Amino acid sequence: MNIDSDHVNYLVWRYLQESGFQHSAFTFGQESSVVRSSVAQVKVPPGALIAHLQRALIYVQAEVNLTTGGRPADLEDLDQIDALTLIESAQPDVCERRRAMLRSRLNEIEGDGAAAEEKDGDAPTVLRGHENEVFACAWNPVYNLLASGSSDSTARIWSLDPAGLAKGEVLILRHVAPQGEDAKDVTSLEWSADGTLLATGSYDGAGRIWTRGGELQSRLTGHSGPVFALNWNKKGDLLVTSSVDQSVIVWESASGQLRQRFQFHSAPCLDVNWRDNKCFASCSQDQAIYVCQVGRNTPIKKYDSGALTGGHTDEVNAIRWDPTAKYLASCSDDCTAKIWSLEMDSPLQSLKHDNKIYSLKWNPAPAQRVPVLASASFDHTTKIWNALEGTCLFTLAGHTNPVYSVNFSPDGTHIASGSFDKSVMVWSLDTGRSVQSFTAGGGIFEVCWDKDGKQIAACCQDCTVLVVDFNP
């Protein structure tokens, strides 16, 4: 079947005439030259354009309604999956989301909401159920549970058996919006150290604390903009959140009450991280880093922006204290990661990539007790650093798109990296070589290890969460 511009123009011209848009039809006919084309002599029935569009819409809807096995879905009991409109059918991302919604609904009907595909050898287990991109994932530090957060305005808690397959009911934590407002993305999540509570941040400006059983314990309302990051202190009695509204708030986890608001930044706050049970650091698009203490109204330390001070010269994306709480690492769109000490105003080291650095992690168990930092960059690489000496131990090059997330294994011997090239790669820190990799159906937003270092999870752009056994 061939489609050329004359055929399309002729059907559009006929539609304008039949709809009474005479002036528009005349102008369009002259400019497109369709009135002088041979196709104008062909007789077609009235309403031909609409009829063809209806047939095309039916075809696209049928394509969306195919199951993972390639057969048409039984649409009985699927009335909550709305039919596509004409404009929606022309948007590939909308069609993909609608396809994911349908398959999620089928999975819920067939298996109580828990959807996991059987593994073939070392292939990942695919956890399905989310209806939009999955931005965050985190293993419970005590129990065999995996949490995920999505732009479908839900978080989910997956109960997994030792083989990584979903078992029992998946808990769906719905972030319900106030009346008259739309539900918003889940932007971040984290388990408390004892594994009993899950905190989530949302684009609706609220934080939430959930029990391990999926019950909403507290809704934390105090920000006037989206919550971008959150972090539990080690004791688990305080939660800190950072927001686009330029503020950082510390909350009491037991009551959900606001403990203290910190309003030092002059632009959206992008990350927060506790140093201990009372002291934390925050970073922002304003290029500055503040170290604050609960109960104190002024910062303990401010690491200024700008080349003159050695600080960052672009927005600071992430910060992390090392396991000893002596050193703070930061990374920025200025293509550097910096190492800071509370005893100095300028950075101890400035570590460079060839493009923006999006995330970083400290090795929890470095060999020879040397502080080791990993930085993930838009230059498609992950670099492993001796943080105090500023020397690059390894450049892990294998991805073909920006690396969004890195995470060390609990024993510190390996590191996983996730990229928008749809792949996760696992690297040995003895050799700097890749020892395992797997591919997802979409870009990877975050990777994480389970408490035993036996499984890796990755959350993906294609609405799925992957779980794979680690086989070094």
Side-chain angles (χ1 to χ4, degrees):
M1 178 170 56
N2 294 320
I3 299 177
D4 61 32
S5 59
D6 277 352
H7 294 167
V8 174
N9 290 339
Y10 178 61
L11 292 178
V12 171
W13 179 61
R14 283 290 304 272
Y15 168 77
L16 292 172
Q17 282 189 320
E18 293 162 6
S19 301
F21 301 113
Q22 297 301 323
H23 295 292
S24 298
F26 175 80
T27 302
F28 182 78
Q30 296 300 316
E31 290 186 349
S32 66
S33 300
V34 68
V35 293
R36 295 183 292 276
S37 171
S38 60
V39 73
Q41 308 305 317
V42 177
K43 292 183 179 181
V44 296
L49 178 62
I50 299 301
H52 278 66
L53 289 175
Q54 287 174 333
R55 292 190 184 97
L57 180 57
I58 292 170
Y59 177 85
V60 174
Q61 184 72 64
E63 187 179 48
V64 166
N65 288 349
L66 291 177
T67 66
T68 53
R71 61 178 178 79
D74 183 357
L75 297 184
E76 188 175 344
D77 298 326
L78 298 183
D79 53 353
Q80 60 201 43
I81 307 297
D82 296 332
L84 290 168
T85 66
L86 180 62
I87 295 299
E88 288 173 338
S89 71
Q91 298 175 278
D93 56 333
V94 174
C95 292
E96 184 57 38
R97 286 200 299 270
R98 197 62 56 83
R99 185 180 293 112
M101 290 172 62
L102 177 116
R103 291 176 180 174
S104 173
R105 177 64 180 137
L106 286 172
N107 286 327
E108 290 176 359
I109 291 172
E110 296 171 1
D112 273 339
E117 297 178 357
E118 292 291 335
K119 294 191 291 187
D120 179 16
D122 292 333
T125 298
V126 183
L127 305 178
R128 301 185 185 277
H130 283 296
E131 298 170 1
N132 273 321
E133 301 98 330
V134 188
F135 292 135
C137 60
W139 287 96
N140 188 293
V142 179
Y143 306 97
N144 204 23
L145 301 171
L146 176 65
S148 57
S150 167
S151 61
D152 65 5
S153 73
T154 73
R156 295 180 183 235
I157 299 176
W158 310 82
S159 178
L160 303 176
D161 65 17
L165 296 176
K167 62 177 183 179
E169 183 181 2
V170 175
L171 302 177
I172 303 176
L173 317 181
R174 301 189 185 279
H175 291 57
V176 179
Q179 188 172 5
E181 298 182 16
D182 294 330
K184 302 293 179 62
D185 302 4
V186 176
T187 58
S188 52
L189 51 77
E190 184 177 291
W191 292 99
S192 60
D194 63 2
T196 60
L197 297 174
L198 177 70
T200 60
S202 171
Y203 218 83
D204 65 8
R208 292 169 174 83
I209 298 177
W210 311 79
T211 68
R212 178 167 55 93
E215 295 181 1
L216 180 62
Q217 176 175 297
S218 301
R219 188 172 186 269
L220 314 176
T221 55
H223 289 295
S224 58
V227 175
F228 271 177
L230 48 76
N231 189 223
W232 291 97
N233 70 350
K234 294 175 175 60
K235 188 177 178 180
D237 63 330
L238 297 176
L239 178 74
V240 62
T241 56
S242 65
S243 170
V244 171
D245 68 6
Q246 306 178 11
S247 74
V248 172
I249 297 178
V250 172
W251 310 84
E252 295 181 355
S253 63
S255 65
Q257 295 299 308
L258 189 155
R259 176 74 171 270
Q260 188 173 353
R261 182 190 300 272
F262 299 84
Q263 194 86 45
F264 302 133
H265 288 289
S266 58
C269 299
L270 301 182
D271 200 13
V272 284
N273 190 239
W274 288 97
R275 183 186 183 215
D276 51 35
N277 289 318
K278 295 293 184 182
C279 177
F280 66 89
S282 63
C283 65
S284 166
Q285 288 182 358
D286 64 9
Q287 308 174 15
I289 300 168
Y290 287 94
V291 181
C292 304
Q293 183 170 309
V294 177
R296 178 170 168 164
N297 294 324
T298 57
I300 295 175
K301 196 81 170 179
K302 178 186 178 183
Y303 299 116
D304 286 311
S305 61
L308 293 178
T309 61
H312 287 294
T313 57
D314 208 332
E315 61 185 63
V316 184
N317 295 315
I319 47 174
R320 289 292 181 275
W321 291 98
D322 84 303
T324 68
K326 293 181 180 179
Y327 307 108
L328 178 67
S330 60
C331 64
S332 168
D333 279 2
D334 67 8
C335 309
T336 70
K338 296 183 186 292
I339 311 299
W340 308 87
S341 167
L342 287 178
E343 299 173 357
M344 298 181 63
D345 294 327
S346 57
L348 299 174
Q349 298 291 344
S350 186
L351 317 173
K352 295 183 179 181
H353 275 267
D354 294 331
N355 207 329
K356 301 175 182 179
I357 306 175
Y358 189 74
S359 65
L360 43 69
K361 286 291 192 315
W362 291 95
N363 190 326
Q368 292 87 42
R369 301 184 181 275
V370 174
V372 173
L373 181 75
S375 55
S377 171
F378 277 39
D379 66 9
H380 307 174
T381 72
T382 298
K383 290 182 182 286
I384 310 297
W385 306 90
N386 179 321
L388 295 188
E389 294 182 0
T391 54
C392 182
L393 305 176
F394 298 109
T395 296
L396 310 180
H399 291 294
T400 57
N401 269 295
V403 183
Y404 272 84
S405 177
V406 287
N407 217 314
F408 285 95
S409 61
D411 63 4
T413 60
H414 294 81
I415 188 169
S417 59
S419 166
F420 243 52
D421 65 6
K422 305 181 183 180
S423 73
V424 174
M425 302 185 74
V426 185
W427 311 81
S428 167
L429 294 179
D430 287 332
T431 64
R433 296 180 180 275
S434 173
V435 296
Q436 189 175 351
S437 64
F438 57 94
T439 303
I444 309 294
F445 287 108
E446 189 167 18
V447 292
C448 59
W449 295 76
D450 73 344
K451 58 185 174 62
D452 300 317
K454 295 180 179 179
Q455 292 178 323
I456 302 166
C459 54
C460 309
Q461 187 184 24
D462 69 344
C463 317
T464 66
V465 180
L466 303 189
V467 178
V468 67
D469 294 334
F470 174 52
N471 299 311

